[in-house]
Amino acid sequence: MSKVFFSVTMSLDGFIAPEWRSDEQWLQQWLGLQDFVVHQKFFRENLKLGEGGETGVDNTHLERTFQRAGVSIMGKRMFDAGEHSWPEEAPFHTPVFVLTHKPRAPWERPGGTVFHFVNDGIESALRQARSVARDKDIRIAGGAQTIRQYLQAGLVDEFHVALAPVFLGEGIRLFDRMDPKKLSLSTTEAVHSPRVTHLRYAVKAR
């Protein structure tokens, strides 16, 4: 059966993104947080940025995350931000289910990405994702509120955090208002590279 997982980068002070602002400071903070990603060979190939890039632990992580995901689920806020910034060939290459309150016809992009819009809740999106995942896993792509909803509902099997050596000071916290009585975690992997520390956890609902 497909596993449900998420994978995020987090600053040392617990933020997975700076608060959205359309200015240079926001962009620099975001690039600082995601610095390890942009150097990787797999990232460059997936976005068709040209040859080159690193091939170590971080690259293996990115490739592993991408290859295991047969379908993704994301919130409307993440989709709205990406709709205008992703290249024409969106970087998922799988079905993507978008949580929203407004009906919209599926949106097909070159390269195999098809966005489907779900307006009847997270469990409906997960059922639909399972129906097309086949032998691969289901990734909760984000943003933070969507990931928290699936965690709080006990619907996440495992997750990965790439802990980056940066401080943001403020921004979007992933684990705000999590109920510790609902979830039990066990560490399954902890490895580091010169750029980040990779932490993997199995999740058990209580």
Side-chain angles (χ1 to χ4, degrees), residues 6 8 159-163 187-191 197-201:
F6 66 86
V8 296
F159 66 87
H160 161 265
V161 172
L163 193 61
T187 305
T188 59
E189 186 178 36
V191 297
T197 299
H198 298 280
L199 303 171
R200 295 184 185 275
Y201 301 92

Side-chain angles (χ1 to χ4, degrees), residues 140-157:
I140 310 301
Q145 181 178 353
T146 298
I147 292 173
R148 280 197 297 267
Q149 285 181 299
Y150 278 96
L151 272 174
Q152 293 278 39
L155 297 173
V156 174
D157 298 304

Side-chain angles (χ1 to χ4, degrees), residues 23-42:
D23 59 20
E24 183 67 21
Q25 182 182 1
W26 183 92
L27 178 61
Q28 291 305 313
Q29 286 184 313
W30 175 254
L31 291 175
L33 182 64
Q34 301 295 339
D35 180 69
F36 89 97
V37 175
V38 301
H39 293 278
Q40 306 311 311
K41 183 175 186 293
F42 181 79

